[in-house]
Amino acid sequence: MKSKIAIWLIFSLVMSLLLPFPLMAEAGTVPIDSALIHPAYPEMPPYPDEDEFVDEKGNVDQDALKRVYDAWWKEKRERREQREQFSGDFGEFIARTSQEILLKSGEKNPLYSPLSLYMALSMLCEVTGGKSRKEILDLLEAKDLEEVQKNALSLWNSNYSDDGAVSSRLANSFWLNEDFPYQIETLNQLAKHYFTASFQGEMGSEAYNEDLRRWINQETGGLLKEQAGQLCFTREMVFSLVSTIFYQAKWQEEFNRDKNEEKIFHGREKEQTCSFMQSENPETYYWAENFGAICKGLHYGGVVWLVLPDENSSVEEVLKNPKFYELISKDHPGEDGKDRKFLIVHLLLPKFDVAANLRLEENLKALGVQTVFEQDKADFSPLFQHSEVPAFLSDVQQGSRVAIDEQGVTATAFTAMRMFGAARPPEEKIDFILDRPFIFVVCGISCDPLFIGVVNQPSTCKEPS
């Protein structure tokens, strides 16, 4: 019996919160020889640089500045409004996948991007048929492919920004084996609904491997070079699917570096001396059965949730709590005034730079996506010109990185206070000290969670002397 051919599916993500900001690499535009189809990315009015509107005498052309600003803000507002076209329950997808993936990752600092996984699964749905597609539709909670296309386009458009103010770049690509004929219409649909670039080359060749690595490095600002360097195609692969995210934004109120304090972080494995950033500002504090949280704003729409389990609880218990996912979803219930209080919050937050490499095959199977992994049942007929081409999904990988410092983040962080049960905080001022394992969530410009992670051992810290 003829053996089937493995398909490689990669979810490659990066989220960087100042590494530091001035040293962040820019995504490049080096041509890639194997390019087959390039999607047309939206052109965005740039955020106005006031210096460009100052004459030799130091006078500012306020009318011209206002026109440029109004055009920028109009496009920004219209892009955010496209999120309203999403008809599914992204919050439920986040809750199901985060509990499955983060609780079983085995990583020192578990880190996961629900948006990148959603986009990659949506593209996988486009190229599958029969039961293979039905299982993906069920996980995405969509009734048909048309709804998947609409929802993916809504998420992409509302989270994409490359205007000089905020970098929130989403990119997708399809890597084809030149030995197999493909349905060009399917590739066109991928470009239309998911902004997917398609490439075709000799699987297993070093030239094609280098094209893959170059594309990932371009789209992730060069921050995943180590992970990308380990990726390579084999001759047996039919195609590979790659989805990337690059997000960078500054805090609305930056931390003062001079106020940093060296403190002990009581990690899961050991104690470390960390540089803690601190601030004291009016904040809204949220709480639920086993955690407390605050939300720190980023420029132009993004936020970072910082979530701290109660002293008698753990990050695992918080990740199982439905209230956590309600809080970080786009329309969180705290707005009704219940279980929240406006306080002066004295925040101590350790600087961190965490990375994770995940294998998601077993997680997806547990979530109901199974047939695409089965050699005799996987259906990729919408992709190939000849439906008898044997193929199945073999590997699903996700590499990610998030860093936070005084200037900003490319991920949302959640900070929580040491509270028990659902009691109100006793004081008008509270210490919010993240000196033990905590959860962070980075939400992008549309307030959708881009990254969810756990800091068990900050990698930027050192052994106590």
Side-chain angles (χ1 to χ4, degrees), residues 2 4-5 180-181 238 378 380-381 384-391:
K2 186 176 180 180
K4 289 212 172 185
I5 301 170
F180 294 89
V238 177
F380 288 92
S381 55
F384 301 110
Q385 287 185 10
H386 306 298
S387 58
E388 69 274 9
V389 172

Side-chain angles (χ1 to χ4, degrees), residues 20-279:
F21 243 85
L23 299 182
M24 279 296 251
E26 292 294 330
T29 56
V30 178
I32 296 178
D33 294 338
S34 55
L36 191 64
I37 295 177
H38 269 305
Y41 276 62
E43 293 186 8
M44 308 183 70
Y47 184 76
D49 181 355
E50 188 171 325
D51 292 341
E52 296 180 0
F53 300 90
V54 179
D55 62 21
E56 297 176 351
K57 297 181 179 180
N59 299 314
V60 179
D61 188 340
Q62 296 291 348
D63 291 338
L65 177 61
K66 184 177 184 302
R67 285 195 298 271
V68 175
Y69 178 85
D70 287 348
W72 171 83
W73 178 244
K74 178 176 181 293
E75 197 277 343
K76 181 75 68 177
R77 185 176 62 250
E78 291 174 348
R79 188 162 291 278
R80 288 178 183 172
E81 290 172 352
Q82 294 192 49
R83 180 60 174 81
E84 298 174 5
Q85 299 175 17
F86 189 91
S87 60
D89 189 342
F90 192 45
E92 177 62 22
F93 175 84
I94 292 169
R96 289 186 63 194
T97 56
S98 296
Q99 290 182 69
E100 170 63 31
I101 293 170
L102 292 175
L103 291 174
K104 299 179 181 180
S105 74
E107 291 280 322
K108 178 188 294 186
N109 297 303
L111 178 60
Y112 157 64
S113 173
L115 179 59
S116 184
L117 178 59
Y118 190 97
M119 293 300 297
L121 286 172
S122 298
M123 289 187 287
L124 190 62
C125 190
E126 187 80 40
V127 300
T128 54
K131 189 176 181 181
S132 297
R133 175 181 288 178
K134 178 62 168 58
E135 292 172 349
I136 301 170
L137 288 172
D138 289 344
L139 179 56
L140 298 178
E141 295 193 340
K143 62 179 183 296
D144 53 29
L145 180 59
E146 184 178 351
E147 185 174 7
V148 170
Q149 294 170 342
K150 177 175 68 69
N151 288 342
L153 197 58
S154 169
L155 285 176
W156 198 98
N157 279 318
S158 59
N159 282 286
Y160 183 84
S161 178
D162 193 14
D163 58 6
V166 175
S167 292
S168 181
R169 298 193 293 268
L170 286 70
N172 299 311
S173 60
F174 221 66
W175 299 81
L176 310 170
N177 187 324
E178 64 183 6
D179 293 335
F180 294 89
Y182 296 90
Q183 298 276 12
I184 190 63
E185 178 56 30
T186 299
L187 302 184
N188 289 333
Q189 290 298 309
L190 288 168
K192 177 181 178 181
H193 298 290
Y194 316 97
F195 294 90
T196 304
S198 293
F199 303 87
Q200 191 169 31
E202 180 186 351
M203 283 291 181
S205 68
E206 188 55 30
Y208 207 29
N209 289 336
E210 281 302 314
D211 282 351
L212 169 68
R213 296 163 189 154
R214 188 183 312 137
W215 184 87
I216 291 177
N217 288 330
Q218 286 182 177
E219 299 300 338
T220 60
L223 295 177
L224 288 180
K225 285 186 177 179
E226 182 177 350
Q227 291 99 320
Q230 299 173 8
L231 300 177
C232 60
F233 299 126
T234 65
R235 296 184 62 83
E236 296 78 18
M237 290 179 180
V238 177
F239 72 83
S240 176
L241 183 160
V242 185
S243 176
T244 66
I245 296 177
F246 179 93
Y247 179 82
Q248 184 183 34
K250 291 186 177 182
W251 299 111
Q252 287 181 355
E253 297 182 18
E254 295 184 15
F255 290 87
N256 186 338
R257 191 182 300 271
D258 294 336
K259 293 184 177 180
N260 286 3
E261 182 178 336
E262 295 292 309
K263 287 180 60 67
I264 296 295
F265 185 89
H266 305 281
R268 173 158 293 184
E269 298 177 356
K270 58 186 176 181
E271 292 189 343
Q272 295 174 283
T273 300
C274 299
S275 178
F276 280 73
M277 306 178 294
Q278 64 175 315
S279 65

Side-chain angles (χ1 to χ4, degrees), residues 413-434:
F414 13 127
T415 303
M417 303 204 232
R418 302 179 180 185
M419 301 297 298
F420 292 85
R424 294 180 63 82
E427 305 292 342
E428 296 304 315
K429 179 178 177 180
I430 189 167
D431 290 328
F432 201 47
I433 303 174
L434 299 171

Side-chain angles (χ1 to χ4, degrees), residues 275-292:
S275 178
F276 280 73
M277 306 178 294
Q278 64 175 315
S279 65
E280 190 168 294
N281 296 306
E283 306 275 3
T284 299
Y285 167 65
Y286 302 84
W287 68 92
E289 181 180 349
N290 55 6
F291 69 86

